[in-house]
Amino acid sequence: MIFCVGLIHAQTTQLTITDGNLGGPLPSAHVKFTDITSGHSEYVIANQSGIVTLPNPTKFSTAIKIHVSFIGFDPFNDTITRGTSTTIKLNESAEMLSQMVVTGQFTAGSPEKAVHKISLIGRDKIDALNAVSLDQVLARELNMNISQDGVLGSSISIQGLSGENVKILVDGVPMIGRLNGSIDLSQINLNDVERIEVVEGPLSVSYGSNALAGTINIITKKDTKKPFSTNAKMYTENIGTFNADAAVSVSKGKNFGGINFTRNFFNGWNIDDPIFGNPEPLADSSRVKLWKPRTQFLGGLKYGRILKKGSIIYNFSGFNETILNRGYPRGPYQETAFDDKYITNRFDNSLNLDLQLDSTNKLNVLAAYNYYERQKLSYITDLTGVSSIENPTTSANDTTQTDLMMVRSTFTSQPKGKIWGYQVGLDLNNETARGARILDQQQSIGDYAVFTSFEISPSMKWTIRPGLRMSYNTKYGSPLVPSLNIKYLPRSGMAIRASVARGFRAPSVKELYLDFVDINHDIHGNPDLQAETALHTSVNFSYARLHKTRKYKFKFGLFYNHINNKISLAQASTIQYMYANV
């Protein structure tokens, strides 16, 4: 009996599947055993210890082919002898490694390993949608609502909160030029974009104001592998859209750079327009478009250099847009009309220094200067001769200018072999607005903050990250912003994330100092406004499973936002309105 038991044990075929990097087991790994002689196959899923035993060994001859697969790892193929017990180490797949996120993280990592719930929109999806601007991509994402205005453009709401509570970043630099509280997403071109990272819920600890509902970080291309590459695209639509873009990038030694240019044209659209081509507007109501005609010109320049322990990158981008808003013919003879042009200019500059000081410590310094200008030009158009003169009414024309100077620096430490790490940062921002509708024609706001996060992982399944932001603002009292994020991995492919965080939204220059009085308006800012504050709680569950060659994902989430001192336009008297905290 002892001899028979020993013989059976010696013939047991057993595999132990482990993570080639971290060394831990990979439960639920899939293994396919195939007999080389007969072709008979059996499928087995590893247990919680990552162990797989060959089922029905009598159906297999001596030589057995094995195929091992697990989500996020390269598949493994080999041939073993029946009765062998061995350990197989899987390597994280290159495809998964390329899907890195950086928004709100200590270091770049895959979305599955992030403490926050992060959605990643890669270049392949942008190309598959043939999307030109950011609104065309986000309109197809869950939990996001895109609204459209003919003059103000596209705006977004996340988790039921409007665009004034959504932070828009380009390589970590906040975009300026909010209209009615929102950034026009149709002005954000995707020609030079590598990926888009979306974090739902507050990231106010890391990024300050306006990051209450969510943060969208647009990561531009930084490809340094090819010595030379170029591409050009043209696109047309039957509703009067004609787009074209081109880009060139070069890399030589430690230096790399690129240049890109885009022109987007939309001829406007009405529900009764012909399918192909739009005729010249006639002197009647058909000249008025529901979707306003617009022309955009965009250009970008990038230069980077690989350093001994990191990199430095300078990025410049320029933007010009003209929106034409034709008015209805005026009575009594329909010979004239009021037309408006809205002209937007942006110039963004950033310098990013990234240093890996040693195996443990990392330093990042980001400096930027952004300029935004929006003009409203009003004309009286003679429809009999199709000529225009500038509207002499002073209030019919307006120019608003905004610029932002910022410096942001973070120091991250993650000692190898330790269960903890931390990040400390400094965030300095100074924003200036100028315009005839701003009190005293110019106002500035300075916001200076320090923030820190501490991360501890008592086991491979648990990650706990508390954070805190303290700031000083030159115009209002800044709140203290704490946060707590927890991630739990109960089993392979499954993740539970919980978050409790404070968020806030600073009053804008317009809400503080607007002074807009004409025959139709009497609207004023309120310099005594307080910042909006919010308490956010959320729980998110995700599960991913690989079945043969297909991956299945399931996500479920609950969130609750409670806002205090919400900033809203209130009626102060019969005809006067002013911003107030609700």
Side-chain angles (χ1 to χ4, degrees), residues 93-157:
S93 70
E95 178 184 358
M96 294 298 293
L97 288 171
S98 66
Q99 296 180 345
M100 295 294 186
V101 294
V102 297
T103 309
Q105 307 306 304
F106 284 7
T107 57
S110 65
E112 290 79 8
K113 294 181 179 180
V115 176
H116 301 92
K117 177 189 175 185
I118 301 181
S119 300
L120 179 63
I121 305 171
R123 185 71 228 182
D124 54 345
K125 185 172 183 178
I126 296 173
D127 290 337
L129 293 171
N130 205 20
V132 173
S133 56
L134 184 60
D135 58 326
Q136 296 175 0
V137 174
L138 299 183
R140 293 163 174 82
E141 294 297 306
L142 295 176
N143 302 331
M144 299 182 193
N145 183 47
I146 303 295
S147 57
Q148 178 74 28
D149 183 274
V151 172
L152 301 180
S154 301
S155 60
I156 187 173
S157 64

Side-chain angles (χ1 to χ4, degrees), residues 321-337:
E321 177 188 68
T322 301
I323 298 175
L324 179 58
N325 182 20
R326 298 188 182 99
Y328 286 97
R330 303 167 64 210
Y333 304 112
Q334 316 291 309
E335 79 280 11
T336 62

Side-chain angles (χ1 to χ4, degrees), residues 129-429:
L129 293 171
N130 205 20
V132 173
S133 56
L134 184 60
D135 58 326
Q136 296 175 0
V137 174
L138 299 183
R140 293 163 174 82
E141 294 297 306
L142 295 176
N143 302 331
M144 299 182 193
N145 183 47
I146 303 295
S147 57
Q148 178 74 28
D149 183 274
V151 172
L152 301 180
S154 301
S155 60
I156 187 173
S157 64
I158 299 177
Q159 294 189 347
L161 299 179
S162 58
E164 59 197 8
N165 295 294
V166 179
K167 194 86 169 186
I168 309 290
L169 308 170
V170 178
D171 290 329
V173 179
M175 291 195 68
I176 59 174
R178 293 179 179 269
L179 299 175
N180 202 26
S182 299
I183 298 291
D184 182 2
L185 304 182
S186 63
Q187 294 183 351
I188 305 174
N189 193 266
L190 304 179
N191 182 25
D192 191 43
V193 172
E194 176 185 298
R195 66 184 188 275
I196 303 166
E197 301 174 6
V198 182
V199 182
E200 295 182 37
L203 272 184
S204 297
V205 168
S206 297
Y207 298 107
S209 176
N210 303 107
L212 198 157
T215 300
I216 301 172
N217 195 5
I218 302 161
I219 310 299
T220 60
K221 296 177 182 177
K222 301 175 182 65
D223 188 6
T224 61
K225 299 177 182 178
K226 299 178 181 178
F228 179 82
S229 66
T230 181
N231 68 78
K233 293 180 292 183
M234 296 187 69
Y235 174 80
T236 184
E237 256 184 86
N238 60 351
I239 59 173
T241 297
F242 304 94
N243 301 330
D245 62 67
V248 176
S249 63
V250 294
S251 177
K252 184 176 182 180
K254 297 182 178 182
N255 301 290
F256 61 93
I259 188 170
N260 64 83
F261 177 79
T262 300
R263 179 186 182 271
N264 298 327
F265 175 78
F266 174 54
N267 202 36
W269 184 82
N270 273 332
I271 196 168
D272 56 351
D273 277 353
I275 295 178
F276 287 97
N278 290 327
E280 289 297 320
L282 303 176
D284 57 26
S285 59
S286 65
R287 71 191 306 271
V288 181
K289 298 296 182 181
L290 178 65
W291 296 73
K292 310 303 180 187
R294 65 174 61 204
T295 304
Q296 296 178 339
F297 294 94
L298 304 96
L301 176 68
K302 181 176 296 181
Y303 169 74
R305 181 174 175 82
I306 304 299
L307 306 177
K308 184 177 181 180
K309 292 187 176 182
S311 64
I312 184 169
I313 300 174
Y314 169 73
N315 200 356
F316 167 81
S317 63
F319 172 86
N320 171 267
E321 177 188 68
T322 301
I323 298 175
L324 179 58
N325 182 20
R326 298 188 182 99
Y328 286 97
R330 303 167 64 210
Y333 304 112
Q334 316 291 309
E335 79 280 11
T336 62
F338 286 125
D339 293 344
D340 297 325
K341 278 186 181 180
Y342 297 88
I343 302 174
T344 301
N345 293 296
R346 291 180 183 272
F347 300 100
D348 301 329
N349 300 267
S350 67
L351 185 66
N352 193 323
L353 175 64
D354 203 31
L355 295 176
Q356 188 70 46
L357 303 178
D358 52 38
S359 60
T360 299
N361 302 313
K362 182 178 180 180
L363 176 68
N364 179 267
V365 180
L366 176 62
Y369 173 75
N370 294 346
Y371 174 83
Y372 171 88
E373 179 187 76
R374 183 175 173 91
Q375 293 179 283
K376 178 194 174 186
L377 304 177
S378 182
Y379 299 91
I380 301 175
T381 301
D382 181 356
L383 300 178
T384 60
V386 197
S387 61
S388 298
I389 62 172
E390 186 174 329
N391 192 334
T393 306
T394 305
S395 60
N397 300 277
D398 180 59
T399 299
T400 301
Q401 299 171 335
T402 305
D403 59 37
L404 171 71
M405 291 185 290
M406 68 156 290
V407 176
R408 175 185 170 89
S409 178
T410 57
F411 175 81
T412 304
S413 180
Q414 285 189 308
K416 288 189 175 181
K418 302 292 184 180
I419 64 172
W420 55 268
Y422 67 89
Q423 183 181 81
V424 293
L426 180 68
D427 199 357
L428 309 177
N429 296 269

